[in-house]
Amino acid sequence: RASEISYRRLFEAAKDGILILDADTGRINDVNPFLTKLLGFSHGEMVGKTVGELSPFKDIESNQAMLERLQKDGYVRYEDLPLETRDGRRVAVEFVSNVYQAGDKKVIQCNIRDITERKKAEVVANRLAAIVESSDDAIIGKDLHSIITSWNRGAEKVFGYTASEMVGTSIMRLIPADRQHEEERILGKIRGGESVEHFETLRQTKDGRLVHISVTVSPIKDATGKVIGVSKVA
């Protein structure tokens, strides 16, 4: 009884959708509150149906095909399944099904994770990457030890080195010997969370030329606000 109560609390409080299906028929035995709220269907409307009979799952393979895959592999996964809720909203989900033994019979558990925000973040990240890559300015990422982590086409045009030549090496190879003290001073400010804007200096290209550049250097922070790297625009 204690085990059942514990399971029920986890099931009902989960922040992912959970379906429990009969392994023989594929019909829904139980559905948790998160999923009914996400899809806009009541518990009673979903129990007794197969997944394929519910309109949000119209893009999933047939109930029989999914059961056959589960019986063969014990596992089915859809990394980006589009669902349509009762009120017409589109929701992208990750759908994972597993077969397991529950007492004297097998059941199927389907975990359904809403990845809409993740997909939006991927779109923003891809757009940002495209902007960085197409910029005529040199945009360089590096860690707090001056090792280059990213190098765009603008940097290749300004300094003459390709990304494959520079990523993983020290930024110091671009800095003339009499100016290498500048790097440690800039890193000191970055570690303190400060930015350095429009700092004018000289840097050395692949062919040995010295070029006058204006540099803006900013800290890269993780989700907790900790400085984990450096972004440089030249």
Side-chain angles (χ1 to χ4, degrees), residues 3-96:
S3 177
E4 172 63 20
I5 291 170
S6 178
Y7 162 79
R8 200 73 215 168
R9 286 174 177 165
L10 290 169
F11 181 79
E12 293 183 355
K15 298 304 180 185
D16 287 341
I18 304 173
L19 289 172
I20 305 298
L21 314 181
D22 183 286
D24 295 322
T25 66
R27 294 194 177 278
I28 298 169
N29 288 337
D30 207 352
V31 54
N32 75 332
F34 181 90
L35 191 58
T36 58
K37 184 177 180 181
L38 178 69
L39 299 180
F41 289 84
S42 70
H43 185 275
E45 288 175 307
M46 297 180 71
V47 169
K49 302 277 194 354
T50 67
V51 171
E53 288 173 339
L54 294 169
S55 61
F57 297 95
K58 61 187 177 184
D59 292 320
I60 207 167
E61 64 187 320
S62 72
N63 188 59
Q64 187 58 39
M66 186 172 73
L67 286 177
E68 288 173 358
R69 285 182 61 193
L70 281 165
Q71 288 166 1
K72 178 185 175 184
D73 303 325
Y75 177 82
V76 170
R77 179 189 183 96
Y78 306 93
E79 292 190 0
D80 185 3
L81 183 69
L83 301 185
E84 187 173 311
T85 65
R86 169 166 259 169
D87 60 7
R89 290 181 300 110
R90 300 286 288 180
V91 181
V93 303
E94 182 181 73
F95 184 100
V96 180

Side-chain angles (χ1 to χ4, degrees), residues 176-233:
D178 62 345
R179 291 179 178 264
Q180 298 214 344
H181 62 282
E182 294 174 353
E183 178 68 4
E184 191 52 44
R185 182 166 61 85
I186 290 170
L187 281 179
K189 287 182 175 289
I190 293 297
R191 290 188 184 104
E194 298 180 54
S195 295
V196 177
E197 296 186 3
H198 308 301
F199 172 65
E200 295 186 2
T201 186
L202 289 170
R203 292 294 181 259
Q204 191 165 336
T205 65
K206 183 177 181 179
D207 61 10
R209 291 180 299 111
L210 292 178
V211 291
H212 292 268
I213 63 170
S214 175
V215 181
T216 295
V217 189
S218 305
I220 299 171
K221 299 179 181 180
D222 65 13
T224 67
K226 179 183 177 182
V227 177
I228 57 172
V230 186
S231 172
K232 174 184 285 189
V233 180

